[in-house]
Amino acid sequence: MQPPPGKRGLVPAALIVLVLLLGSGVAALTRHDTDAPVRYLTDDQGRALFLHGLNTSGSAKDDPDHLPWITEEDVQTEYDAMGTNFVRFLIQWQALEPEEGVYDEDYLDEVAERVDWYAERGYHVLLDMHQDLYGRFTNTEQHSGNGAPEWATRTDDLPVRPREQWELVYLEPGVMRAFDHFWGTAGGDTDLMDAYADAWRHVADRFADEPAVIGYDLMNEPFGGSLQGTDFEAGPLAELYRRSMERIREVDQDTWIFVEGQAVGVNWGLPSALPHLEDPREGEPRVVYAPHMYALPMDLGQPYEGDSKGGIDASVDAWSEHVRLVGERLEAPIVLGEFGLDMSGAGAPEFVERMLEETETMAAGRTYWSNDLDGWGPWEEADDGGLAPGPLAHVMNRAYPRAVAGEPLDWGYDAEAGELTVRYTERDGVSGATELYLPSDVFGEGHEPTVVLGGDGSWNAEWDEGMRVLHVTVTGAADGDETVLTVTPE
């Protein structure tokens, strides 16, 4: 649960107690066989995609126009520094529908312009309907949250007091009541859920024909108000997802739909109780499980070093196991929607590298929180006043397969040896080249990398030095054959 928009504080004891009360019942619903096939997002050529990027960005929460700080030049700077191919782009209901039933097309034009900036550089864009603390209108004096418009905020005049620890504002009576009205658990109906689903239909109608938009993240870090745990996730939250999916599929059959479990507890490693969700699209379902990860020991102030490192690693291991279990139940690929920390903290770069390796082991995509100009983000100020890559950028600038022309089995990157290995099964119906991003700090400037092929067939490689992407096409291999690509510096 990231702060809106500044740095995170320590997790309050009240939320920890709530998680402990929820934990055992949720876990009991999710422990089952984990020996299941890994699932991938695919493009229109059938290639498996590996998504690697940043959230853009927390700055949109406080911006008067609800837009991130970036310019088109900044998008290019990001690619040059990190070779990312994915962005989780924040949008907000309050900006989309400031009046009930009236959508702000000028706002969507601004979003579309920024999507174009990414599209021109080969990015996949996830549109994330972001909220924190329900919205800024739960308390008109503080405006401490973001998300819901004023007309959709019903607090019954209950108070919302400022708190030093921002997460505690979730427990304020007015915020709780606003969520209860939204979910229909405050004695009323669920007209706000319908309005929210209708808003998603409008967004999908606008972007259905934009190939760069790979997905819609239906709600950032859902919170159930007075209803928590299994009752919330299997009840109102699943219902909101079903309604939103139905509306989206009326106008968009192809874009992937990303869903999250409740934020409380799940972000720290407890399993989600989300049930299997039927995708009403024609053809194979396109649902993605998109959890967040903020390791509880680190939220409690422990650094990623010394005696606390083992406990944090154990927390990551538990999170990973539970995410796989939920992904199996949903029959969905996995994309880590948020993880991050103050990069000035002890062991911070090592923790980011740990999470990158973990998602690679899981064959999951990932987006770091976030591409902001603060201590969490990847930037430092350059001598000329522009952006210079900081510690995070150096960790994120990592070799990886952007697209694999088959069914991936596993892959690994040894930065010290400068070796990227991708192993996959050939599949009929998959076209195009396997695309490998290779950073210049390991693979050098002005030299074409060396490819070694394991398996039947022959290979041809084209090196795009400007994008630092190696396009490898394998011919002569049959459906079901195993292929291994190993790439090293020349």
Side-chain angles (χ1 to χ4, degrees), residues 74-115:
D74 296 323
V75 176
Q76 185 64 50
T77 299
E78 177 183 325
Y79 185 84
D80 292 341
M82 289 170 278
T84 49
N85 70 338
F86 184 45
V87 58
R88 183 174 181 250
F89 190 94
L90 275 63
I91 62 175
Q92 295 180 56
W93 189 16
Q94 64 181 348
L96 171 65
E97 192 179 2
E99 299 179 40
E100 185 172 6
V102 178
Y103 300 106
D104 188 338
E105 300 302 333
D106 291 338
Y107 171 69
L108 288 179
D109 288 344
E110 295 285 353
V111 172
E113 180 182 22
R114 286 153 179 79
V115 169

mmCIF file of all heavy atoms in Angstrom, residues 74-115:
data_model
loop_
_atom_site.group_PDB
_atom_site.id
_atom_site.type_symbol
_atom_site.label_atom_id
_atom_site.label_comp_id
_atom_site.label_asym_id
_atom_site.label_seq_id
_atom_site.Cartn_x
_atom_site.Cartn_y
_atom_site.Cartn_z
ATOM 1 N N ASP A 74 11.103 12.413 -21.574
ATOM 2 C CA ASP A 74 11.355 11.616 -20.378
ATOM 3 C C ASP A 74 11.096 10.133 -20.627
ATOM 4 O O ASP A 74 11.772 9.270 -20.055
ATOM 5 C CB ASP A 74 10.488 12.105 -19.224
ATOM 6 C CG ASP A 74 10.838 13.528 -18.808
ATOM 7 O OD1 ASP A 74 12.028 13.877 -18.831
ATOM 8 O OD2 ASP A 74 9.902 14.293 -18.490
ATOM 9 N N VAL A 75 10.100 9.833 -21.466
ATOM 10 C CA VAL A 75 9.845 8.436 -21.815
ATOM 11 C C VAL A 75 11.054 7.853 -22.542
ATOM 12 O O VAL A 75 11.489 6.721 -22.272
ATOM 13 C CB VAL A 75 8.576 8.306 -22.671
ATOM 14 C CG1 VAL A 75 8.363 6.861 -23.121
ATOM 15 C CG2 VAL A 75 7.357 8.792 -21.895
ATOM 16 N N GLN A 76 11.627 8.619 -23.465
ATOM 17 C CA GLN A 76 12.820 8.158 -24.165
ATOM 18 C C GLN A 76 13.991 7.987 -23.212
ATOM 19 O O GLN A 76 14.756 7.021 -23.293
ATOM 20 C CB GLN A 76 13.191 9.141 -25.276
ATOM 21 C CG GLN A 76 14.365 8.681 -26.138
ATOM 22 C CD GLN A 76 14.051 7.401 -26.904
ATOM 23 O OE1 GLN A 76 13.014 7.292 -27.565
ATOM 24 N NE2 GLN A 76 14.935 6.411 -26.800
ATOM 25 N N THR A 77 14.118 8.924 -22.268
ATOM 26 C CA THR A 77 15.192 8.835 -21.271
ATOM 27 C C THR A 77 15.049 7.563 -20.447
ATOM 28 O O THR A 77 16.043 6.892 -20.134
ATOM 29 C CB THR A 77 15.169 10.069 -20.353
ATOM 30 O OG1 THR A 77 15.374 11.236 -21.130
ATOM 31 C CG2 THR A 77 16.254 9.978 -19.290
ATOM 32 N N GLU A 78 13.809 7.224 -20.084
ATOM 33 C CA GLU A 78 13.586 5.992 -19.330
ATOM 34 C C GLU A 78 14.045 4.777 -20.118
ATOM 35 O O GLU A 78 14.733 3.897 -19.593
ATOM 36 C CB GLU A 78 12.115 5.839 -18.950
ATOM 37 C CG GLU A 78 11.827 4.531 -18.233
ATOM 38 C CD GLU A 78 10.361 4.306 -17.909
ATOM 39 O OE1 GLU A 78 9.654 5.296 -17.611
ATOM 40 O OE2 GLU A 78 9.918 3.133 -17.951
ATOM 41 N N TYR A 79 13.652 4.723 -21.397
ATOM 42 C CA TYR A 79 14.056 3.556 -22.186
ATOM 43 C C TYR A 79 15.578 3.479 -22.308
ATOM 44 O O TYR A 79 16.171 2.412 -22.148
ATOM 45 C CB TYR A 79 13.429 3.576 -23.574
ATOM 46 C CG TYR A 79 13.770 2.299 -24.326
ATOM 47 C CD1 TYR A 79 13.012 1.151 -24.130
ATOM 48 C CD2 TYR A 79 14.909 2.219 -25.134
ATOM 49 C CE1 TYR A 79 13.369 -0.041 -24.749
ATOM 50 C CE2 TYR A 79 15.267 1.035 -25.740
ATOM 51 C CZ TYR A 79 14.494 -0.098 -25.554
ATOM 52 O OH TYR A 79 14.854 -1.275 -26.136
ATOM 53 N N ASP A 80 16.203 4.612 -22.585
ATOM 54 C CA ASP A 80 17.649 4.615 -22.754
ATOM 55 C C ASP A 80 18.369 4.168 -21.477
ATOM 56 O O ASP A 80 19.422 3.533 -21.547
ATOM 57 C CB ASP A 80 18.133 6.019 -23.130
ATOM 58 C CG ASP A 80 17.670 6.451 -24.511
ATOM 59 O OD1 ASP A 80 17.294 5.578 -25.318
ATOM 60 O OD2 ASP A 80 17.659 7.665 -24.780
ATOM 61 N N ALA A 81 17.796 4.493 -20.326
ATOM 62 C CA ALA A 81 18.447 4.182 -19.052
ATOM 63 C C ALA A 81 18.185 2.767 -18.586
ATOM 64 O O ALA A 81 19.039 2.165 -17.907
ATOM 65 C CB ALA A 81 17.979 5.162 -17.973
ATOM 66 N N MET A 82 17.010 2.199 -18.928
ATOM 67 C CA MET A 82 16.622 0.927 -18.316
ATOM 68 C C MET A 82 16.091 -0.119 -19.288
ATOM 69 O O MET A 82 15.881 -1.266 -18.900
ATOM 70 C CB MET A 82 15.572 1.188 -17.225
ATOM 71 C CG MET A 82 16.125 1.866 -15.995
ATOM 72 S SD MET A 82 14.850 2.422 -14.833
ATOM 73 C CE MET A 82 14.377 3.983 -15.589
ATOM 74 N N GLY A 83 15.809 0.247 -20.527
ATOM 75 C CA GLY A 83 15.316 -0.733 -21.485
ATOM 76 C C GLY A 83 13.970 -1.311 -21.126
ATOM 77 O O GLY A 83 13.647 -2.444 -21.509
ATOM 78 N N THR A 84 13.156 -0.574 -20.397
ATOM 79 C CA THR A 84 11.850 -1.081 -19.991
ATOM 80 C C THR A 84 10.925 -1.229 -21.205
ATOM 81 O O THR A 84 11.081 -0.537 -22.216
ATOM 82 C CB THR A 84 11.207 -0.141 -18.959
ATOM 83 O OG1 THR A 84 11.289 1.214 -19.438
ATOM 84 C CG2 THR A 84 11.948 -0.212 -17.630
ATOM 85 N N ASN A 85 9.947 -2.119 -21.085
ATOM 86 C CA ASN A 85 8.986 -2.313 -22.175
ATOM 87 C C ASN A 85 7.540 -2.249 -21.689
ATOM 88 O O ASN A 85 6.620 -2.605 -22.427
ATOM 89 C CB ASN A 85 9.220 -3.655 -22.870
ATOM 90 C CG ASN A 85 8.845 -4.859 -22.000
ATOM 91 O OD1 ASN A 85 8.785 -4.763 -20.777
ATOM 92 N ND2 ASN A 85 8.594 -5.994 -22.643
ATOM 93 N N PHE A 86 7.328 -1.782 -20.456
ATOM 94 C CA PHE A 86 6.010 -1.867 -19.832
ATOM 95 C C PHE A 86 5.833 -0.678 -18.903
ATOM 96 O O PHE A 86 6.786 -0.234 -18.250
ATOM 97 C CB PHE A 86 5.939 -3.172 -19.036
ATOM 98 C CG PHE A 86 4.611 -3.478 -18.381
ATOM 99 C CD1 PHE A 86 3.412 -3.318 -19.063
ATOM 100 C CD2 PHE A 86 4.569 -3.959 -17.081
ATOM 101 C CE1 PHE A 86 2.199 -3.621 -18.457
ATOM 102 C CE2 PHE A 86 3.362 -4.277 -16.470
ATOM 103 C CZ PHE A 86 2.177 -4.111 -17.173
ATOM 104 N N VAL A 87 4.612 -0.146 -18.837
ATOM 105 C CA VAL A 87 4.306 0.926 -17.903
ATOM 106 C C VAL A 87 2.908 0.696 -17.344
ATOM 107 O O VAL A 87 1.978 0.350 -18.075
ATOM 108 C CB VAL A 87 4.403 2.318 -18.563
ATOM 109 C CG1 VAL A 87 3.468 2.442 -19.752
ATOM 110 C CG2 VAL A 87 4.129 3.425 -17.548
ATOM 111 N N ARG A 88 2.788 0.826 -16.030
ATOM 112 C CA ARG A 88 1.477 0.834 -15.373
ATOM 113 C C ARG A 88 1.111 2.308 -15.193
ATOM 114 O O ARG A 88 1.632 2.990 -14.327
ATOM 115 C CB ARG A 88 1.540 0.103 -14.040
ATOM 116 C CG ARG A 88 0.199 -0.016 -13.298
ATOM 117 C CD ARG A 88 0.388 -0.881 -12.067
ATOM 118 N NE ARG A 88 -0.830 -1.084 -11.295
ATOM 119 C CZ ARG A 88 -1.060 -0.566 -10.082
ATOM 120 N NH1 ARG A 88 -0.149 0.219 -9.516
ATOM 121 N NH2 ARG A 88 -2.191 -0.813 -9.452
ATOM 122 N N PHE A 89 0.206 2.782 -16.039
ATOM 123 C CA PHE A 89 -0.095 4.205 -16.149
ATOM 124 C C PHE A 89 -1.338 4.521 -15.334
ATOM 125 O O PHE A 89 -2.419 3.969 -15.580
ATOM 126 C CB PHE A 89 -0.317 4.575 -17.616
ATOM 127 C CG PHE A 89 -0.405 6.057 -17.865
ATOM 128 C CD1 PHE A 89 0.720 6.778 -18.225
ATOM 129 C CD2 PHE A 89 -1.611 6.733 -17.732
ATOM 130 C CE1 PHE A 89 0.648 8.146 -18.446
ATOM 131 C CE2 PHE A 89 -1.702 8.089 -17.950
ATOM 132 C CZ PHE A 89 -0.566 8.805 -18.307
ATOM 133 N N LEU A 90 -1.186 5.424 -14.351
ATOM 134 C CA LEU A 90 -2.278 5.744 -13.436
ATOM 135 C C LEU A 90 -3.328 6.631 -14.105
ATOM 136 O O LEU A 90 -2.998 7.663 -14.693
ATOM 137 C CB LEU A 90 -1.751 6.475 -12.197
ATOM 138 C CG LEU A 90 -1.220 5.624 -11.049
ATOM 139 C CD1 LEU A 90 -0.008 4.811 -11.478
ATOM 140 C CD2 LEU A 90 -0.861 6.500 -9.851
ATOM 141 N N ILE A 91 -4.595 6.216 -14.003
ATOM 142 C CA ILE A 91 -5.726 7.071 -14.320
ATOM 143 C C ILE A 91 -6.627 7.092 -13.089
ATOM 144 O O ILE A 91 -6.476 6.260 -12.186
ATOM 145 C CB ILE A 91 -6.505 6.606 -15.571
ATOM 146 C CG1 ILE A 91 -7.097 5.199 -15.356
ATOM 147 C CG2 ILE A 91 -5.619 6.628 -16.801
ATOM 148 C CD1 ILE A 91 -7.987 4.726 -16.507
ATOM 149 N N GLN A 92 -7.550 8.065 -13.027
ATOM 150 C CA GLN A 92 -8.392 8.192 -11.838
ATOM 151 C C GLN A 92 -9.848 8.427 -12.231
ATOM 152 O O GLN A 92 -10.137 9.172 -13.173
ATOM 153 C CB GLN A 92 -7.892 9.349 -10.962
ATOM 154 C CG GLN A 92 -6.508 9.108 -10.386
ATOM 155 C CD GLN A 92 -6.028 10.254 -9.533
ATOM 156 O OE1 GLN A 92 -6.684 10.640 -8.574
ATOM 157 N NE2 GLN A 92 -4.878 10.813 -9.877
ATOM 158 N N TRP A 93 -10.731 7.795 -11.487
ATOM 159 C CA TRP A 93 -12.160 7.924 -11.714
ATOM 160 C C TRP A 93 -12.606 9.386 -11.595
ATOM 161 O O TRP A 93 -13.436 9.861 -12.368
ATOM 162 C CB TRP A 93 -12.902 7.039 -10.727
ATOM 163 C CG TRP A 93 -14.376 6.880 -10.954
ATOM 164 C CD1 TRP A 93 -15.097 7.172 -12.081
ATOM 165 C CD2 TRP A 93 -15.324 6.375 -10.008
ATOM 166 N NE1 TRP A 93 -16.423 6.873 -11.910
ATOM 167 C CE2 TRP A 93 -16.597 6.384 -10.638
ATOM 168 C CE3 TRP A 93 -15.233 5.910 -8.698
ATOM 169 C CZ2 TRP A 93 -17.764 5.949 -9.994
ATOM 170 C CZ3 TRP A 93 -16.387 5.467 -8.063
ATOM 171 C CH2 TRP A 93 -17.637 5.488 -8.703
ATOM 172 N N GLN A 94 -12.054 10.122 -10.643
ATOM 173 C CA GLN A 94 -12.462 11.514 -10.446
ATOM 174 C C GLN A 94 -12.145 12.371 -11.668
ATOM 175 O O GLN A 94 -12.857 13.336 -11.966
ATOM 176 C CB GLN A 94 -11.799 12.100 -9.214
ATOM 177 C CG GLN A 94 -10.280 12.194 -9.288
ATOM 178 C CD GLN A 94 -9.664 12.762 -8.026
ATOM 179 O OE1 GLN A 94 -10.345 13.300 -7.164
ATOM 180 N NE2 GLN A 94 -8.349 12.632 -7.907
ATOM 181 N N ALA A 95 -11.073 12.035 -12.374
ATOM 182 C CA ALA A 95 -10.724 12.777 -13.585
ATOM 183 C C ALA A 95 -11.546 12.315 -14.774
ATOM 184 O O ALA A 95 -11.945 13.126 -15.621
ATOM 185 C CB ALA A 95 -9.239 12.607 -13.887
ATOM 186 N N LEU A 96 -11.824 11.038 -14.831
ATOM 187 C CA LEU A 96 -12.582 10.471 -15.945
ATOM 188 C C LEU A 96 -14.042 10.898 -15.931
ATOM 189 O O LEU A 96 -14.614 11.231 -16.978
ATOM 190 C CB LEU A 96 -12.478 8.942 -15.881
ATOM 191 C CG LEU A 96 -13.357 8.143 -16.827
ATOM 192 C CD1 LEU A 96 -12.962 8.390 -18.271
ATOM 193 C CD2 LEU A 96 -13.283 6.655 -16.482
ATOM 194 N N GLU A 97 -14.675 10.881 -14.746
ATOM 195 C CA GLU A 97 -16.113 11.142 -14.633
ATOM 196 C C GLU A 97 -16.364 12.166 -13.513
ATOM 197 O O GLU A 97 -16.906 11.819 -12.468
ATOM 198 C CB GLU A 97 -16.860 9.834 -14.359
ATOM 199 C CG GLU A 97 -18.355 9.932 -14.502
ATOM 200 C CD GLU A 97 -19.062 8.598 -14.238
ATOM 201 O OE1 GLU A 97 -18.383 7.599 -13.899
ATOM 202 O OE2 GLU A 97 -20.299 8.566 -14.373
ATOM 203 N N PRO A 98 -15.988 13.422 -13.729
ATOM 204 C CA PRO A 98 -16.141 14.417 -12.661
ATOM 205 C C PRO A 98 -17.598 14.699 -12.315
ATOM 206 O O PRO A 98 -17.894 15.109 -11.195
ATOM 207 C CB PRO A 98 -15.452 15.655 -13.237
ATOM 208 C CG PRO A 98 -15.482 15.454 -14.715
ATOM 209 C CD PRO A 98 -15.362 13.987 -14.933
ATOM 210 N N GLU A 99 -18.499 14.500 -13.260
ATOM 211 C CA GLU A 99 -19.937 14.590 -13.013
ATOM 212 C C GLU A 99 -20.570 13.249 -13.381
ATOM 213 O O GLU A 99 -20.142 12.593 -14.332
ATOM 214 C CB GLU A 99 -20.573 15.697 -13.852
ATOM 215 C CG GLU A 99 -20.038 17.085 -13.575
ATOM 216 C CD GLU A 99 -20.692 18.122 -14.471
ATOM 217 O OE1 GLU A 99 -21.919 18.027 -14.702
ATOM 218 O OE2 GLU A 99 -19.977 19.009 -14.955
ATOM 219 N N GLU A 100 -21.577 12.858 -12.629
ATOM 220 C CA GLU A 100 -22.177 11.547 -12.849
ATOM 221 C C GLU A 100 -22.670 11.418 -14.283
ATOM 222 O O GLU A 100 -23.443 12.247 -14.777
ATOM 223 C CB GLU A 100 -23.335 11.320 -11.875
ATOM 224 C CG GLU A 100 -23.926 9.928 -11.955
ATOM 225 C CD GLU A 100 -24.928 9.641 -10.858
ATOM 226 O OE1 GLU A 100 -25.254 10.578 -10.089
ATOM 227 O OE2 GLU A 100 -25.384 8.477 -10.758
ATOM 228 N N GLY A 101 -22.179 10.402 -14.971
ATOM 229 C CA GLY A 101 -22.594 10.131 -16.340
ATOM 230 C C GLY A 101 -21.959 11.023 -17.388
ATOM 231 O O GLY A 101 -22.262 10.894 -18.576
ATOM 232 N N VAL A 102 -21.060 11.924 -16.985
ATOM 233 C CA VAL A 102 -20.399 12.843 -17.916
ATOM 234 C C VAL A 102 -18.904 12.548 -17.888
ATOM 235 O O VAL A 102 -18.237 12.741 -16.863
ATOM 236 C CB VAL A 102 -20.653 14.315 -17.536
ATOM 237 C CG1 VAL A 102 -19.918 15.238 -18.502
ATOM 238 C CG2 VAL A 102 -22.146 14.607 -17.519
ATOM 239 N N TYR A 103 -18.376 12.099 -19.004
ATOM 240 C CA TYR A 103 -16.971 11.720 -19.088
ATOM 241 C C TYR A 103 -16.156 12.850 -19.709
ATOM 242 O O TYR A 103 -16.589 13.491 -20.674
ATOM 243 C CB TYR A 103 -16.814 10.430 -19.890
ATOM 244 C CG TYR A 103 -17.563 9.268 -19.278
ATOM 245 C CD1 TYR A 103 -18.745 8.806 -19.858
ATOM 246 C CD2 TYR A 103 -17.116 8.668 -18.119
ATOM 247 C CE1 TYR A 103 -19.453 7.751 -19.288
ATOM 248 C CE2 TYR A 103 -17.815 7.618 -17.537
ATOM 249 C CZ TYR A 103 -18.982 7.161 -18.127
ATOM 250 O OH TYR A 103 -19.678 6.134 -17.559
ATOM 251 N N ASP A 104 -14.988 13.064 -19.158
ATOM 252 C CA ASP A 104 -14.114 14.152 -19.590
ATOM 253 C C ASP A 104 -13.239 13.654 -20.737
ATOM 254 O O ASP A 104 -12.199 13.027 -20.529
ATOM 255 C CB ASP A 104 -13.254 14.620 -18.419
ATOM 256 C CG ASP A 104 -12.462 15.880 -18.740
ATOM 257 O OD1 ASP A 104 -12.242 16.154 -19.931
ATOM 258 O OD2 ASP A 104 -12.049 16.577 -17.784
ATOM 259 N N GLU A 105 -13.654 13.963 -21.974
ATOM 260 C CA GLU A 105 -12.915 13.497 -23.137
ATOM 261 C C GLU A 105 -11.576 14.205 -23.270
ATOM 262 O O GLU A 105 -10.627 13.645 -23.830
ATOM 263 C CB GLU A 105 -13.747 13.691 -24.405
ATOM 264 C CG GLU A 105 -15.079 12.954 -24.402
ATOM 265 C CD GLU A 105 -14.940 11.453 -24.208
ATOM 266 O OE1 GLU A 105 -13.884 10.891 -24.577
ATOM 267 O OE2 GLU A 105 -15.878 10.833 -23.679
ATOM 268 N N ASP A 106 -11.473 15.438 -22.767
ATOM 269 C CA ASP A 106 -10.188 16.129 -22.806
ATOM 270 C C ASP A 106 -9.154 15.394 -21.959
ATOM 271 O O ASP A 106 -7.974 15.290 -22.340
ATOM 272 C CB ASP A 106 -10.343 17.568 -22.312
ATOM 273 C CG ASP A 106 -11.139 18.444 -23.270
ATOM 274 O OD1 ASP A 106 -11.213 18.096 -24.474
ATOM 275 O OD2 ASP A 106 -11.692 19.466 -22.820
ATOM 276 N N TYR A 107 -9.588 14.894 -20.808
ATOM 277 C CA TYR A 107 -8.684 14.097 -19.970
ATOM 278 C C TYR A 107 -8.226 12.840 -20.704
ATOM 279 O O TYR A 107 -7.034 12.510 -20.728
ATOM 280 C CB TYR A 107 -9.376 13.735 -18.659
ATOM 281 C CG TYR A 107 -8.626 12.731 -17.816
ATOM 282 C CD1 TYR A 107 -7.423 13.070 -17.190
ATOM 283 C CD2 TYR A 107 -9.124 11.439 -17.637
ATOM 284 C CE1 TYR A 107 -6.733 12.148 -16.416
ATOM 285 C CE2 TYR A 107 -8.444 10.515 -16.865
ATOM 286 C CZ TYR A 107 -7.246 10.867 -16.256
ATOM 287 O OH TYR A 107 -6.565 9.953 -15.497
ATOM 288 N N LEU A 108 -9.160 12.149 -21.343
ATOM 289 C CA LEU A 108 -8.785 10.942 -22.077
ATOM 290 C C LEU A 108 -7.887 11.269 -23.260
ATOM 291 O O LEU A 108 -7.018 10.466 -23.629
ATOM 292 C CB LEU A 108 -10.045 10.208 -22.543
ATOM 293 C CG LEU A 108 -10.848 9.515 -21.437
ATOM 294 C CD1 LEU A 108 -12.089 8.852 -22.014
ATOM 295 C CD2 LEU A 108 -9.993 8.487 -20.695
ATOM 296 N N ASP A 109 -8.066 12.434 -23.865
ATOM 297 C CA ASP A 109 -7.158 12.857 -24.933
ATOM 298 C C ASP A 109 -5.729 12.993 -24.401
ATOM 299 O O ASP A 109 -4.762 12.601 -25.069
ATOM 300 C CB ASP A 109 -7.603 14.198 -25.516
ATOM 301 C CG ASP A 109 -8.862 14.087 -26.364
ATOM 302 O OD1 ASP A 109 -9.229 12.965 -26.757
ATOM 303 O OD2 ASP A 109 -9.479 15.140 -26.630
ATOM 304 N N GLU A 110 -5.599 13.558 -23.202
ATOM 305 C CA GLU A 110 -4.278 13.705 -22.596
ATOM 306 C C GLU A 110 -3.659 12.342 -22.284
ATOM 307 O O GLU A 110 -2.462 12.117 -22.489
ATOM 308 C CB GLU A 110 -4.371 14.553 -21.321
ATOM 309 C CG GLU A 110 -4.790 15.995 -21.537
ATOM 310 C CD GLU A 110 -3.687 16.856 -22.122
ATOM 311 O OE1 GLU A 110 -2.540 16.364 -22.245
ATOM 312 O OE2 GLU A 110 -3.964 18.022 -22.450
ATOM 313 N N VAL A 111 -4.481 11.429 -21.765
ATOM 314 C CA VAL A 111 -3.995 10.072 -21.512
ATOM 315 C C VAL A 111 -3.563 9.419 -22.819
ATOM 316 O O VAL A 111 -2.487 8.807 -22.906
ATOM 317 C CB VAL A 111 -5.073 9.233 -20.804
ATOM 318 C CG1 VAL A 111 -4.640 7.767 -20.711
ATOM 319 C CG2 VAL A 111 -5.362 9.787 -19.409
ATOM 320 N N ALA A 112 -4.398 9.561 -23.856
ATOM 321 C CA ALA A 112 -4.088 8.946 -25.149
ATOM 322 C C ALA A 112 -2.789 9.498 -25.734
ATOM 323 O O ALA A 112 -2.011 8.752 -26.357
ATOM 324 C CB ALA A 112 -5.247 9.173 -26.123
ATOM 325 N N GLU A 113 -2.534 10.792 -25.546
ATOM 326 C CA GLU A 113 -1.286 11.369 -26.042
ATOM 327 C C GLU A 113 -0.089 10.699 -25.382
ATOM 328 O O GLU A 113 0.916 10.369 -26.039
ATOM 329 C CB GLU A 113 -1.261 12.872 -25.774
ATOM 330 C CG GLU A 113 0.020 13.545 -26.261
ATOM 331 C CD GLU A 113 0.076 15.028 -25.952
ATOM 332 O OE1 GLU A 113 -0.646 15.475 -25.027
ATOM 333 O OE2 GLU A 113 0.842 15.743 -26.627
ATOM 334 N N ARG A 114 -0.169 10.471 -24.092
ATOM 335 C CA ARG A 114 0.936 9.844 -23.380
ATOM 336 C C ARG A 114 1.061 8.366 -23.736
ATOM 337 O O ARG A 114 2.179 7.841 -23.801
ATOM 338 C CB ARG A 114 0.741 10.058 -21.873
ATOM 339 C CG ARG A 114 1.055 11.503 -21.485
ATOM 340 C CD ARG A 114 0.314 11.987 -20.252
ATOM 341 N NE ARG A 114 0.689 13.369 -19.952
ATOM 342 C CZ ARG A 114 0.200 14.444 -20.598
ATOM 343 N NH1 ARG A 114 -0.698 14.279 -21.579
ATOM 344 N NH2 ARG A 114 0.592 15.663 -20.278
ATOM 345 N N VAL A 115 -0.051 7.699 -23.964
ATOM 346 C CA VAL A 115 0.011 6.320 -24.459
ATOM 347 C C VAL A 115 0.765 6.278 -25.780
ATOM 348 O O VAL A 115 1.579 5.369 -26.028
ATOM 349 C CB VAL A 115 -1.410 5.738 -24.605
ATOM 350 C CG1 VAL A 115 -1.370 4.409 -25.365
ATOM 351 C CG2 VAL A 115 -2.051 5.529 -23.228
#
